[in-house]
Amino acid sequence: MADPAARHARVGAEVEASVLEVLRSGRYVGGPKVAELERRVAALFGWGFGASTNSGTDALVYALLSLGVGHGDEVIVPAVTFFATAGAVARVGASPIVADVLPDQPILDDSRLPIGPRTCAIIAVHLYGAACPVRTTFPVVDDLAQCAGAAPAPRNGTVGAVSFYPTKTLGAAGDAGMVLTDSSEMQLALHRLTHHGMPAPNVHERVGGIIGANSRTDAIQAAILLAHLDDLPARMVARRATAAAYDRELPEWVSRLPREAAHAVHQYVVRVPNREALRAHLLERGVETAVYYPIPLSRQAALAEFTHAPTPNADRFCAQSLALPVHECLSEADVAQVIDGFRTFHV
């Protein structure tokens, strides 16, 4: 499903030279590499400014804080997403309200949002690389963790959040993230929030009433990501070619998800019958698969105290979905092996 070592080999010389430059500079926290990463990632996703954080989860937390979300508020989140989407809402003291997804694809159904008197924001998760359009008058956080390489990148709201976890299409060699904004004032506030609220050395102030903390992308991770950024266009070509091969060659009983031309192909996910039997069959033939995500947020024990809308579409999707290898390091033989595994399975 992923091969970080093979990905590193694609840009190994550039990454290692850039990291060595940082090590020799002595600038390990902040500095020019981090500033350049913030500029380039903001431009990649079509925003004005970026504020780096130590993870994609913290990027969501600080995106919510930048909108003033806090205790007593409710934030609508989709039922099909990684737990961090809802966890970030709870971390700022608000209540995540889980909503159902569309019948034919696992993105938020904005025609049936469970809006209540305490609703203050919505998180639009652009899942697997597909855009999640949300028409609303409420502030929207765009969760762009799986959209690096989309052209153009999807956007609904006033703030975005990105993860650079190693398995992402644009991934670091550890955790890192970024908040995206069009406001230079918000970028400055976010920098202060993630640097202990310091406007100057040894001076600590609240930012919008919030005490700052430590959440920074270090210079070595920034150097690694800058080298990987240069490889991103080639990665998208390879991923889209693999997805096109699956579109053509997988059997008719495999249900493909809708995919627009701008899809970032972070994952290639299908709906299948007899999923566990199929996974076992594929594994016997050397094909690894994954399920993103087997349990919808509406059924997660950690969120049981919160109110959720009914999520029948999400329940069905989570019971049928299967992700196939689609990363840029696959060979033609690898792709053929996946397809052959499907063709030899008896439904």
Side-chain angles (χ1 to χ4, degrees):
M1 289 301 296
D3 193 343
R7 173 185 286 180
H8 173 74
R10 291 170 61 96
V11 291
E14 296 88 341
V15 166
E16 291 160 20
S18 189
V19 168
L20 186 58
E21 181 185 346
V22 171
L23 291 173
R24 288 174 171 170
S25 76
R27 295 290 302 276
Y28 303 151
V29 178
K33 294 290 187 185
V34 174
E36 183 184 355
L37 180 70
E38 290 177 340
R39 288 193 301 270
R40 290 189 61 185
V41 169
L44 174 71
F45 285 94
W47 298 71
F49 304 94
S52 56
T53 63
N54 69 5
S55 69
T57 301
D58 265 17
L60 284 169
V61 167
Y62 286 101
L64 290 165
L65 290 174
S66 74
L67 296 177
V69 177
H71 291 278
D73 293 329
E74 293 181 347
V75 178
I76 296 172
V77 300
V80 183
T81 181
F82 183 58
F83 180 80
T85 307
V89 176
R91 280 184 56 196
V92 303
S95 298
I97 306 300
V98 179
D100 206 6
V101 297
L102 293 170
D104 64 337
Q105 59 178 319
I107 61 172
L108 194 65
D109 184 351
D110 69 348
S111 69
R112 296 190 299 158
L113 297 175
I115 293 170
R118 296 193 294 155
T119 302
C120 70
I122 297 165
I123 299 182
V125 178
H126 304 284
L127 197 67
Y128 308 143
C132 174
V134 175
R135 292 150 297 196
T136 180
T137 57
F138 289 93
V140 176
V141 175
D142 284 305
D143 185 338
L144 297 157
Q146 301 186 11
C147 279
R155 177 170 176 176
N156 297 289
T158 55
V159 65
V162 183
S163 168
F164 301 119
Y165 189 74
T167 56
K168 296 294 187 287
T169 308
L170 178 62
D175 273 315
M178 192 173 295
V179 183
L180 302 174
T181 175
D182 283 332
S183 166
S184 59
E185 291 81 7
M186 185 178 288
Q187 183 197 40
L188 178 60
L190 287 163
H191 278 155
R192 288 177 58 193
L193 274 174
T194 56
H195 291 69
H196 298 293
M198 289 193 295
N202 302 309
V203 178
H204 304 272
E205 299 175 346
R206 290 180 181 246
V207 181
I210 302 167
I211 293 177
N214 177 8
S215 180
R216 303 177 291 216
T217 297
D218 66 64
I220 287 178
Q221 297 297 349
I224 292 166
L225 285 163
L226 285 169
H228 281 287
L229 262 171
D230 294 333
D231 189 44
L232 186 58
R235 294 179 187 181
M236 295 313 305
V237 171
R239 285 171 173 260
R240 288 178 173 139
T242 297
Y246 290 156
D247 288 344
R248 291 190 309 268
E249 303 296 339
L250 290 179
E252 290 301 316
W253 51 264
V254 177
S255 177
R256 287 81 160 164
L257 298 184
R259 193 174 70 252
E260 302 293 333
H263 198 292
V265 197
H266 178 263
Q267 300 292 348
Y268 187 94
V269 177
V270 296
R271 302 174 80 154
V272 295
N274 303 325
R275 182 178 66 193
E276 296 313 312
L278 172 61
R279 292 191 74 192
H281 172 85
L282 292 171
L283 190 59
E284 287 177 357
R285 285 152 180 78
V287 176
E288 184 181 14
T289 58
V291 178
Y292 306 110
Y293 300 90
I295 304 173
L297 290 186
S298 51
R299 300 188 182 279
Q300 290 289 349
L303 305 178
E305 68 182 272
F306 303 110
T307 301
H308 307 310
T311 59
N313 293 335
D315 292 343
R316 282 190 295 271
F317 179 82
C318 291
Q320 301 170 343
S321 65
L322 185 66
L324 313 185
V326 75
H327 59 84
E328 59 279 354
C329 300
L330 295 170
S331 66
E332 289 185 5
D334 293 331
V335 176
Q337 185 176 354
V338 175
I339 294 167
D340 182 67
F342 273 83
R343 287 177 172 171
T344 55
F345 181 70
H346 300 292
V347 180

